[in-house]
Amino acid sequence: MNTPTDDDQAATSFVPQLDARQRAMLAEMGVKVWAPRAVAPEAEVQAPVAAVAAAPPPPARPPVAVVAAPVRAPVAAPVVPAPAAAPVVATVERQRPADVGAMDWATLQATVASCEACGLCKSRRNTVFGVGDTQADWMIVGEAPGENEDLQGEPFVGAAGQLLDNMLRAVGRSRAGEGAKGAYIANVLKCRPPANRNPQPAEVAQCEPYLARQVALVQPKVIVAMGRFAVQSLLRTDEPIGRLRGRVHRYEGVPVIVTYHPAYLLRTPADKAKAWADLCLAMETVEGS
């Protein structure tokens, strides 16, 4: 549809109503006659609406059936039985007598022979108490019995014992001598550790009162501590032997000279000269007391 211009509206605005002849004349002049489109009656406009309203509603959709998923019953976890508690193994260890510090030689030796204060009692053949002159000026303290000592019940036997005897002879003493020519020999431990392993602190602690009583009964003028564990037990120190040599230490008021164990000297012969110097210091200590 062509939209009338402003000129067209101006040309026809003064002739709101034209007859057929006038319209024909204006048409020949090229003047287009514009007239507003007639408005449809209200009934015609509302007819489609009424028709729409009268149209039947669309058929309702059939309801969709909702099927609930089956609920599964909870599955109980399998019951695992708790592991049985390990049986408690009774130990054969017994408390060490409390009166060790008042025992005489016979009672002390019998107590050591029947001692079950630590686990070493289960594997030993013999206890190794001590040997030598019980009134000697010199006391030799070693570490723990080895296989030969366990078999014979005597400290320092075998190759290490032979070397110790030679060392004692060099200073005019022996385990069989008496007085100024004798020496008393004992170990920190009275039982052999299995496979000659190192002594454990708890084992040393159980045996310590026995050694302390032996020192008190002998009353030596000097103690020669041989080996790391003997030195640590007597002096309560973790210092290596090399730093403790050449000085006079004390145990319960008794002078202590530190030196190497004969078993170590068999493996390291070059240190025998140092051990000889230690024995000389022990002699000087006794002579000066």
Side-chain angles (χ1 to χ4, degrees):
M1 180 180 66
N2 295 327
T3 304
T5 64
D6 294 337
D7 293 339
D8 293 336
Q9 295 179 0
T12 58
S13 61
F14 62 90
V15 284
Q17 294 181 354
L18 298 174
D19 55 19
R21 186 178 64 84
Q22 291 173 333
R23 289 179 179 279
M25 292 176 62
L26 292 175
E28 291 292 335
M29 294 174 58
V31 177
K32 297 179 181 180
V33 180
W34 176 86
R37 178 178 295 178
V39 178
E42 182 178 354
E44 296 179 358
V45 174
Q46 294 179 352
V49 177
V52 172
R61 294 183 180 181
V64 179
V66 179
V67 180
V71 179
R72 294 183 179 180
V75 179
V79 179
V80 180
V88 178
V89 180
T91 62
V92 299
E93 299 172 12
R94 297 185 304 180
Q95 199 72 14
R96 187 186 61 246
D99 59 344
V100 173
M103 292 180 179
D104 57 19
W105 279 110
T107 305
L108 181 63
Q109 186 166 1
T111 301
V112 170
S114 61
C115 180
E116 295 180 352
C118 75
L120 295 181
C121 65
K122 303 173 185 178
S123 58
R124 74 187 179 208
R125 292 184 178 90
N126 292 291
T127 56
V128 181
F129 182 71
V131 67
D133 183 6
T134 58
Q135 297 180 343
D137 291 343
W138 282 49
M139 185 170 181
I140 309 297
V141 176
E143 299 179 328
E147 182 178 8
N148 292 327
E149 286 84 356
D150 182 46
L151 290 173
Q152 300 182 34
E154 184 176 333
F156 284 95
V157 297
Q162 294 175 6
L163 179 55
L164 175 60
D165 290 338
N166 293 337
M167 295 169 68
L168 291 175
R169 279 195 295 267
V171 293
R173 298 178 180 273
S174 71
R175 68 177 72 197
E178 296 181 0
K181 295 184 179 180
Y184 187 82
I185 304 171
N187 282 320
V188 170
L189 290 189
K190 310 307 182 187
C191 298
R192 177 199 179 197
N196 292 346
R197 64 162 170 76
N198 290 335
Q200 297 178 356
E203 296 164 352
V204 174
Q206 290 294 348
C207 264
E208 183 181 7
Y210 298 143
L211 178 62
R213 185 55 182 165
Q214 287 176 307
V215 173
L217 289 172
V218 174
Q219 297 183 355
K221 292 183 178 180
V222 67
I223 297 173
V224 180
M226 294 187 164
R228 176 164 60 98
F229 292 101
V231 172
Q232 291 179 350
S233 177
L234 292 172
L235 302 184
R236 299 287 196 277
T237 180
D238 292 332
E239 289 288 323
I241 291 178
R243 295 182 182 178
L244 298 173
R245 289 183 55 256
R247 291 180 287 159
V248 178
H249 307 272
R250 296 279 171 175
Y251 173 79
E252 300 295 333
V254 181
V256 176
I257 305 300
V258 173
T259 192
Y260 300 106
H261 195 280
Y264 167 81
L265 296 175
L266 290 174
R267 300 189 303 268
T268 316
D271 285 341
K272 288 183 178 180
K274 297 178 181 178
W276 170 247
D278 298 333
L279 294 179
C280 292
L281 178 59
M283 285 190 294
E284 295 173 3
T285 302
V286 171
E287 292 172 358
S289 61

